Amino acid sequence: MTRPRRFGKTLNLSMLDCFFSNKYLNSDQLFKNLSIWHYPQFHNLCNNYPVLFISFASVKGTNYQTARAQIIQEIITLYRNNDNVRNADFLTDMDKLFWSKINYEMTDAIATDSIRFLCEILSKYYNQKVIILLDEYDTPIHEAYTDGFWSEMTGFIRNLFNATLKTNPYLERALLTGITRISTESIFSDLNNLKVDTITNARFDKDFGFTESEVRNALLSYGLSNTFEDVKKWYDGFTIGKCTEIYNPWSVTQYLDERTLGNYWANTSENSLVEKLIREGSIDVKKSMESLLKGDTIEVLIDDEIVFNLIDKSESGIFSMLLASGYLRINSYILQSGVRKKCNVSLTNLEVLHTFEDMIKRWFCFSGQKSINRIKNAVCMAGRFSFIHNSIPI
């Protein structure tokens, strides 16, 4: 499942954890006033499963060794949180030996099988298969691509996912969230029966953002109804599946709290990959970005599946990434065929516009004055990014 970054994925997974996990007692009280309780067939699922809730959101090492160590830390935390089953009567000496090897020096072979093994122990202990919730599964991939260790990281994660999600008879269901649908040629090459929701093809299109009626009601409750049009310009514009006019819930809630319009989303999301793709993109990519920053609509090809090792080789890869990350919105479809679509797109809203303007200005501010003048002369001669030339003093 893919969603724009910071669109409440962690919150939704936390709710699923609270609903399914047998670690919570009487959490059904939290759900009895919600829509799910209108379906009696779901009542017995509440607090009935062992759940492993993992997040890769903080796996942002700038080299393979650091990023791998951060994933190992997440695995160790899973074991620490389930330490109550470590001394179960059914554990064999071999089981206990394997558990003892779950540490910061564990080999790739142990790490690869670690989550599957924990599923096995939990399933036997509770006599129930395990649910796995993995948030921001693609963050390590983004960081690895940006910092140049993509092959090593995808190899490690592919093996981990294969053991955890494919050759695991103790798994009931797994839910992965991220901002990109990474090609099956990479980390998902060994998995079967995947059901994928993307930003262009979503069954749960209203579940990861605020609708316009929800925003109006929230503003009314906070006595801010007179600011609706400004809030719409800043935080509206996301299109998920067939649902248009979706608002960024993080930014809206921050506005309700601060009562000041601001660029809240950029302060939480990691833009390193997007910045790299635009900065190192072709002249045509930069020209398209200039058109977008002027408020124009452009025609692009969008791929639902992103082939990471080719993402910088084509404009479609770059703009697919921008769409998946929430920086672009689809205004209309020109051609839809399989995973590739031709669309008219524009920047999502005013918040995104400011994010890009700040990003591009940083490129100049972080360079020496000689570099600034050289870059400015080059872009001015090429007729590119004239808006920057007018905003940065010589």
Side-chain angles (χ1 to χ4, degrees):
M1 177 180 294
T2 61
R3 292 289 182 268
R5 191 180 297 279
R6 302 298 181 186
F7 252 45
K9 298 191 300 294
T10 302
L11 175 60
N12 281 270
L13 289 188
S14 295
M15 291 180 67
L16 289 175
D17 181 34
C18 190
F19 181 82
F20 287 114
S21 179
N22 55 20
K23 288 187 177 181
Y24 301 101
L25 297 177
N26 302 319
S27 71
D28 58 324
Q29 300 299 317
L30 299 174
F31 297 95
K32 287 187 175 179
N33 292 325
L34 302 181
S35 297
I36 192 171
W37 223 251
H38 297 160
Y39 303 88
Q41 64 269 34
F42 296 144
H43 293 182
N44 291 335
L45 302 180
C46 190
N47 301 147
N48 195 42
Y49 291 89
V51 175
L52 295 179
F53 187 5
I54 318 162
S55 175
F56 283 172
S58 60
V59 181
K60 297 176 181 177
T62 56
N63 56 66
Y64 175 67
Q65 290 72 25
T66 302
R68 180 188 180 279
Q70 291 170 333
I71 294 176
I72 296 301
Q73 176 63 63
E74 294 298 325
I75 293 172
I76 290 173
T77 298
L78 286 180
Y79 275 75
R80 184 184 301 121
N81 291 341
N82 291 279
D83 195 62
N84 61 299
V85 304
R86 183 172 187 173
N87 297 314
D89 293 339
F90 61 82
L91 263 68
T92 66
D93 290 340
M94 292 296 292
D95 292 334
K96 294 176 182 178
L97 178 62
F98 187 95
W99 194 300
S100 70
K101 293 181 179 180
I102 302 299
N103 54 53
Y104 294 104
E105 286 74 41
M106 74 176 87
T107 64
D108 281 359
I110 296 295
T112 292
D113 200 43
S114 59
I115 300 178
R116 186 216 59 81
F117 174 80
L118 186 56
C119 287
E120 177 183 350
I121 302 305
L122 291 174
S123 180
K124 291 178 179 178
Y125 187 88
Y126 293 109
N127 196 31
Q128 183 67 275
K129 289 187 177 182
V130 178
I131 291 176
I132 293 177
L133 306 174
L134 174 54
D135 187 35
E136 297 208 24
Y137 79 89
D138 52 351
T139 294
I141 302 298
H142 296 175
E143 300 300 323
Y145 181 84
T146 301
D147 292 310
F149 54 96
W150 183 85
S151 295
E152 293 172 291
M153 181 53 66
T154 52
F156 179 74
I157 290 182
R158 184 191 301 114
N159 292 334
L160 177 65
F161 282 7
N162 181 54
T164 302
L165 304 175
K166 183 178 182 180
T167 57
N168 186 357
Y170 307 99
L171 179 67
E172 176 68 26
R173 293 285 190 277
L175 176 62
L176 285 66
T177 65
I179 65 170
T180 48
R181 176 181 177 177
I182 298 174
S183 169
T184 54
E185 298 171 3
S186 53
I187 62 174
F188 294 132
S189 59
D190 295 325
L191 301 187
N192 301 321
N193 303 318
L194 287 174
K195 292 185 179 294
V196 181
D197 270 6
T198 69
I199 199 167
T200 61
N201 181 25
R203 290 167 293 170
F204 309 104
D205 46 11
K206 296 181 181 180
D207 299 331
F208 285 78
F210 288 163
T211 63
E212 189 158 292
S213 62
E214 289 172 333
V215 172
R216 285 185 180 274
N217 290 335
L219 292 173
L220 178 63
S221 298
Y222 279 74
L224 295 169
S225 294
N226 61 321
T227 67
F228 171 74
E229 292 300 328
D230 289 331
V231 170
K232 183 177 180 67
K233 291 177 184 177
W234 273 84
Y235 308 127
D236 184 23
F238 295 91
T239 299
I240 301 178
K242 296 180 180 180
C243 190
T244 60
E245 308 303 329
I246 294 294
Y247 289 68
N248 186 328
W250 171 261
S251 298
V252 171
T253 54
Q254 292 303 299
Y255 169 69
L256 293 174
D257 185 41
E258 301 291 338
R259 295 175 177 260
T260 300
L261 293 165
N263 196 357
Y264 300 111
W265 190 41
N267 294 330
T268 62
S269 59
E270 288 293 334
N271 301 321
S272 56
L273 176 56
V274 168
E275 187 168 343
K276 173 183 172 69
L277 292 173
I278 297 173
R279 187 178 65 249
E280 299 178 2
S282 67
I283 289 296
D284 288 336
V285 169
K286 294 179 173 65
K287 185 176 179 180
S288 295
M289 286 304 304
E290 182 179 8
S291 297
L292 289 169
L293 285 160
K294 288 178 179 178
D296 296 339
T297 296
I298 64 172
E299 182 180 305
V300 297
L301 286 174
I302 297 295
D303 290 313
D304 282 340
E305 287 192 353
I306 294 177
V307 182
F308 254 82
N309 56 334
L310 300 176
I311 193 172
D312 59 348
K313 303 297 190 296
S314 67
E315 292 183 29
S316 65
I318 294 173
F319 289 110
S320 298
M321 184 67 197
L322 291 174
L323 177 68
S325 305
Y327 295 105
L328 297 180
R329 65 172 297 171
I330 294 177
N331 297 299
S332 63
Y333 289 96
I334 301 170
L335 179 65
Q336 289 183 267
S337 178
V339 296
R340 172 164 283 198
K341 305 171 177 67
K342 182 179 288 188
C343 314
N344 284 313
V345 300
S346 61
L347 293 185
T348 311
N349 51 39
L350 195 56
E351 187 174 34
V352 170
L353 172 64
H354 288 315
T355 297
F356 277 122
E357 289 179 340
D358 292 343
M359 179 189 300
I360 295 169
K361 289 178 182 178
R362 283 199 305 274
W363 300 346
F364 291 85
C365 295
F366 291 162
S367 302
Q369 187 59 48
K370 181 183 289 188
S371 297
I372 292 176
N373 291 334
R374 184 171 63 250
I375 295 171
K376 286 169 62 176
N377 290 336
V379 295
C380 289
M381 288 177 64
R384 312 303 189 199
F385 288 134
S386 59
F387 65 95
I388 299 177
H389 177 260
N390 294 329
S391 63
I392 299 178
I394 299 289

